[in-house]
Amino acid sequence: MQAPIRIKNRTARWLWLSSQGLSETPTGALDVYDIIHKLGMVQLDTIQVVSRAHHHILWSRNQNYRESMLNPLLANERKIFEHFTHDASVIPMAFLPAWQRQFRRMHVTAKRWHGDLSGAPYLEEIKQRIRTEGALSTHAFDTKIEGPKKMWARPPHKKALDYMWMTGALATCYRDGFTKFYNLPERVFPDSLREQSMSEEAELDFLLKAAVDRIAVGTQGEIQKFWETSSAKETKSWLDQAKLIPVEIENADGSVTSSFGCHDIEHRLERLSEPTSRLRILNPFDPLTRDRERLERLFGFEYRIEMFVPATKRKWGYYVYPILENDRFVGRIEVKAERKTKTLSVINFWSEAGVKWTTSRKNKLNAELVRLGRFVDCPTVTWVSPNMP
């Protein structure tokens, strides 16, 4: 057995930031597809307090990005597709052959969410309409919710469209705003990838290798939850054969976590450099912070999204953004884009314990707020909160 490589906490932070595309200053030549490919996926989300999560995530890695740049990769160039990882996400089209595994697995989830619709006649009726009329959104249908209107209740056509999308019987071909348009897979996915066949073993190997490559080091659970495409048993069985590099990660509290490192982990550690001192306001759904346990373990930063928590029970706020500087989180901020008045309003601000807000750090925060406001066409920044740093 190879002796584990011991990685100090600060080095582990640098490695994680580098793996997530947040080590470099977010400027320079922009390649949107390259960012998505390096991340493996970018989560989609409807909430637009400032900018929707997928746009904000891409902007955080290169601030030349604009919201209109994503849809062409889906609608015209067919470089990405939409499907379910831990949540709805855009994924590189190159991953499609291996992703057949997830289409199959989603039958279980789709049945749990929507009931067993596999034999429902209206599924074929919907597909026939799309076959005849072309891409359709939910607005093209008019069925009503059956039974009592409970929270999250959906009309039959929305259940059917989502069921077929989850199981690969339909595909997203483009979006108008955030409205999804569905089409037949053969009209969306390139034939060369759609018809490519892989064994189940090869599919799993491709996806888990891709996961390890993108997180650099991780526990079995962290590797498994990256895509959410395998069970604990399947992941363990793969790890037993994968011959990854054993590592020990020093955590923020001094404890040590045994993990697995990617095959080139030593090379990555050798070329690692200190992250930029640029201050960044990250999205709550950013892949750097998505795994809350890993985040707290490495950075000592406790973070939760409280939008579904009753207002009276929130510790922070409805939609609060983490503030990253260099290799640590220095605070959190609640901001909102008032698009009608073109104003970015700072609703609240909290400093992390032990962080001194020097003039230099305050200036960096204000500069990032200006950049964020410019990104969403809100050039005026207003502090509504009296709680300023």
Side-chain angles (χ1 to χ4, degrees):
M1 288 286 291
Q2 178 179 342
I5 298 173
R6 187 68 173 256
I7 302 177
K8 292 184 178 180
N9 178 248
R10 194 177 191 194
T11 303
R13 296 187 193 199
W14 289 14
L15 185 63
W16 185 221
L17 289 165
S18 175
S19 300
Q20 294 304 300
L22 289 169
S23 279
E24 303 296 325
T25 304
T27 56
L30 172 63
D31 185 332
V32 179
Y33 174 76
D34 186 58
I35 295 174
I36 298 171
H37 190 271
K38 285 178 179 177
L39 291 175
M41 73 185 106
V42 173
Q43 181 174 336
L44 299 166
D45 197 75
T46 59
I47 297 172
Q48 187 173 239
V49 176
V50 175
S51 179
R52 289 191 172 102
H54 40 289
H55 296 309
H56 192 167
I57 290 166
L58 293 168
W59 178 81
S60 290
R61 283 145 181 86
N62 190 313
Q63 294 182 354
N64 291 316
Y65 173 81
R66 291 298 178 265
E67 292 181 352
S68 62
M69 296 178 179
L70 181 61
N71 197 49
L73 294 179
L74 174 73
N76 305 325
E77 300 175 45
R78 303 296 193 210
K79 284 188 171 183
I80 58 175
F81 68 98
E82 290 186 10
H83 203 244
F84 217 87
T85 56
H86 64 289
D87 211 321
S89 304
V90 290
I91 305 161
M93 188 67 78
F95 289 10
L96 183 68
W99 207 256
Q100 300 305 315
R101 170 185 181 81
Q102 186 71 334
F103 289 140
R104 294 191 302 272
R105 292 180 81 251
M106 278 289 110
H107 278 83
V108 176
T109 305
K111 288 177 182 178
R112 186 171 69 247
W113 288 3
H114 304 307
D116 188 357
L117 304 181
S118 55
Y122 56 84
L123 295 190
E124 185 53 40
E125 292 171 11
I126 288 174
K127 288 181 72 174
Q128 185 56 46
R129 277 196 61 186
I130 291 173
R131 198 174 285 118
T132 303
E133 300 173 39
L136 296 176
S137 74
T138 58
H139 301 310
F141 304 89
D142 192 29
T143 61
K144 305 299 181 185
I145 294 174
E146 299 171 341
K149 293 185 178 181
K150 299 179 180 179
M151 188 176 183
W152 307 117
R154 308 178 76 191
H157 71 271
K158 287 192 175 181
K159 289 183 179 181
L161 288 166
D162 199 44
Y163 186 96
M164 289 190 282
W165 173 76
M166 292 175 73
T167 57
L170 292 178
T172 308
C173 60
Y174 69 93
R175 285 181 180 265
D176 183 1
F178 203 69
T179 300
K180 184 190 300 186
F181 280 76
Y182 301 87
N183 213 327
L184 304 177
E186 56 267 30
R187 295 177 180 173
V188 177
F189 301 145
D191 289 343
S192 60
L193 296 174
R194 187 173 59 85
E195 296 171 359
Q196 193 177 132
S197 179
M198 299 176 70
S199 68
E200 288 191 37
E201 183 181 29
E203 290 170 346
L204 182 65
D205 186 60
F206 179 97
L207 292 172
L208 291 181
K209 279 181 178 176
V212 174
D213 186 54
R214 282 156 179 79
I215 65 175
V217 295
T219 63
Q220 176 186 317
E222 289 166 348
I223 294 168
Q224 178 186 341
K225 72 171 63 171
F226 182 85
W227 296 114
E228 298 283 4
T229 57
S230 59
S231 67
K233 182 178 180 180
E234 289 170 328
T235 307
K236 183 181 184 306
S237 177
W238 180 81
L239 285 169
D240 289 342
Q241 305 296 322
K243 298 181 180 178
L244 299 179
I245 310 296
V247 297
E248 292 180 341
I249 300 293
E250 181 184 295
N251 301 315
D253 64 1
S255 64
V256 174
T257 298
S258 297
S259 300
F260 301 91
C262 57
H263 290 290
D264 64 342
I265 184 64
E266 291 175 282
H267 177 61
R268 293 194 192 194
L269 290 170
E270 287 172 2
R271 66 183 184 183
L272 205 57
S273 59
E274 183 174 359
T276 175
S277 62
R278 181 84 161 251
L279 187 144
R280 236 80 79 81
I281 297 173
L282 299 180
N283 190 272
F285 293 103
D286 195 281
L288 184 78
T289 61
R290 176 170 67 86
D291 187 336
R292 313 293 186 218
E293 293 179 4
R294 181 182 174 101
L295 176 69
E296 188 168 353
R297 199 179 76 239
L298 288 181
F299 293 88
F301 183 66
E302 181 187 349
Y303 181 71
R304 300 292 182 271
I305 295 177
E306 298 181 304
M307 65 186 74
F308 299 121
V309 176
T312 55
K313 295 184 178 180
R314 289 176 190 147
K315 183 177 180 180
W316 308 107
Y318 173 73
Y319 204 77
V320 175
Y321 298 79
I323 304 174
L324 174 72
E325 181 188 35
N326 190 266
D327 63 5
R328 68 171 177 161
F329 288 89
V330 294
R332 54 195 89 201
I333 193 165
E334 189 172 10
V335 292
K336 183 178 181 180
E338 310 284 356
R339 293 173 186 262
K340 289 184 179 179
T341 60
K342 299 197 172 205
T343 301
L344 187 70
S345 297
V346 180
I347 300 168
N348 217 331
F349 168 85
W350 301 266
S351 174
E352 284 299 288
V355 175
K356 293 182 179 179
W357 281 85
T358 61
T359 299
S360 172
R361 185 167 281 138
K362 291 177 186 177
N363 289 341
K364 287 201 286 185
L365 174 59
N366 287 325
E368 181 72 351
L369 286 166
V370 169
R371 289 189 290 263
L372 183 60
R374 189 184 304 130
F375 171 52
V376 294
D377 195 25
C378 292
T380 302
V381 177
T382 301
W383 281 80
V384 179
S385 169
N387 186 24
M388 298 178 67

